[in-house]
Amino acid sequence: MEMDRFYVQPGEKPLDHIRTDGGFASIFRTIGCVGDSLSSGEFEGLDEEGNKTYHDLYEYSWGQCLARMTGSRVYNFSRGGMTAREYCDSWAGEHGYWGREYACQAYILALGGNDLYGRGGMEVGEIGDICREDYRENKPTFAGYYGQIIQRLQEISPHAKFFLVTMPREEKQTRKAREQGDGHASLLREMAGFFPNTYVIDLRRYAPVYDQKFYDDFYLGGHMQPCGYVFTAYMMVSYIDYLVRANKRDFRMVGLVGTPYEEEMVRMLEQEK
């Protein structure tokens, strides 16, 4: 049996091998996707007056594409136009997403575009904006609100794994937008060291540049078309598969997360220290 595919090879990068079968991302049986329109399968249309319309068609989201690949239950904790601040201040609470009935073994967080470029217009902030002891003391920056999301989700699922998604590079961006995207990516990389059980899906570093050909082939207006959402799901699955292959020991007890046997897992981890 060829075993190399189950291990990270010397010099391998996270998206060198695209998985379409779920790979080791399938170890997570419940996954929550926190995001905006690009996490919601949003499509654009025109009404009778020629005005643009926007529709979240969740079945086309990369999260549900991922669900079909892995066979896992995937929740769309997302909506078009979502910002980290709105998620914390109203959206999650109004929909019960802080409830333990929605606790997951893994969370994929893909927020930032609306916060930095859209109507949010928010400062990126820094890791110091996060109060480790009490999220209520976080500063009102993107870092503070994004950190609050992780902190509150860790309250309902203390041993879940978190995957923070950086924004891909775009060929046609202003210098300011590029700097904001780079700052966002740097912050998320730092958060992976700040929070336990947290990793980065670094699309800014490893995804292809979104150039004109990419937009022609995978976008419909300012949002993706169906192939674009499937393509994104392939990247998410492949990157998580890579992270699991590179860190198998970190993920060996995932099967007990969210089960009645979670305390037994905790005792095993304590015994290993």
Side-chain angles (χ1 to χ4, degrees):
M1 181 179 181
E2 177 57 59
M3 292 294 292
D4 285 353
R5 65 180 300 188
F6 301 112
Y7 295 88
V8 171
Q9 300 304 304
E12 181 183 346
K13 295 181 178 62
L15 297 178
D16 281 352
H17 301 291
I18 297 300
R19 301 300 300 261
T20 61
D21 60 357
F24 280 131
S26 304
I27 67 174
F28 301 107
R29 307 317 298 153
T30 51
I31 301 172
C33 298
V34 180
D36 52 30
S37 57
L38 293 178
S39 299
S40 305
E42 184 159 299
F43 292 101
E44 297 180 19
L46 291 176
D47 64 17
E48 293 178 353
E49 284 74 42
N51 301 308
K52 276 193 176 183
T53 59
Y54 301 92
H55 310 281
D56 288 340
L57 302 181
Y58 291 105
E59 282 300 301
Y60 279 99
S61 68
W62 54 258
Q64 294 311 312
C65 293
L66 186 155
R68 291 188 284 272
M69 279 188 273
T70 60
S72 304
R73 177 181 297 175
V74 177
Y75 297 105
N76 284 97
F77 302 142
S78 63
R79 194 209 63 203
M82 185 62 66
T83 65
R85 176 165 59 185
E86 183 181 2
Y87 194 88
C88 292
D89 287 351
S90 59
W91 176 260
E94 290 171 358
H95 291 79
Y97 294 154
W98 302 128
R100 294 189 183 279
E101 65 270 27
Y102 286 110
C104 296
Q105 293 179 321
Y107 295 92
I108 305 173
L109 275 60
L111 284 169
N114 292 314
D115 301 84
L116 306 183
Y117 307 139
R119 58 190 175 87
M122 180 167 283
E123 178 187 350
V124 175
E126 57 188 17
I127 203 74
D129 295 343
I130 302 169
C131 176
R132 193 184 292 274
E133 292 75 26
D134 186 354
Y135 67 79
R136 298 169 189 84
E137 298 298 322
N138 289 7
K139 293 183 179 178
T141 62
F142 173 75
Y145 285 112
Y146 195 95
Q148 180 184 154
I149 294 171
I150 298 173
Q151 289 169 295
R152 295 181 73 172
L153 291 175
Q154 286 183 332
E155 285 185 349
I156 67 172
S157 189
H159 305 290
K161 304 297 184 181
F162 287 79
F163 301 95
L164 316 182
V165 184
T166 65
M167 294 182 285
R169 295 161 293 160
E170 297 183 45
E171 185 179 62
K172 294 181 179 180
Q173 267 194 327
T174 65
R175 179 178 177 179
K176 180 181 179 181
R178 284 197 300 273
E179 290 174 349
Q180 288 175 306
D182 290 342
H184 172 271
S186 294
L187 173 68
L188 299 195
R189 293 170 194 140
E190 196 170 357
M191 282 190 179
F194 184 84
F195 290 110
N197 295 316
T198 302
Y199 307 82
V200 178
I201 296 178
D202 205 339
L203 300 187
R204 194 160 195 83
R205 185 170 283 166
Y206 295 111
V209 175
Y210 286 16
D211 56 15
Q212 190 58 54
K213 177 172 174 51
F214 186 91
Y215 277 98
D216 290 343
D217 291 343
F218 293 107
Y219 266 71
L220 178 66
H223 295 86
M224 288 186 163
Q225 51 108 315
C227 291
Y229 290 118
V230 173
F231 175 86
T232 303
Y234 287 159
M235 288 199 295
M236 297 294 186
V237 163
S238 301
Y239 212 121
I240 293 173
D241 174 79
Y242 171 88
L243 289 170
V244 174
R245 285 187 290 120
N247 304 278
K248 289 190 184 69
R249 186 170 177 81
D250 291 0
F251 296 94
R252 68 195 188 283
M253 295 188 182
V254 161
L256 296 176
V257 174
T259 72
Y261 317 111
E262 197 162 3
E263 287 304 314
E264 297 176 21
M265 176 191 73
V266 173
R267 286 193 287 272
M268 287 182 67
L269 291 172
E270 288 295 324
Q271 189 179 64
E272 291 179 357
K273 291 181 179 179

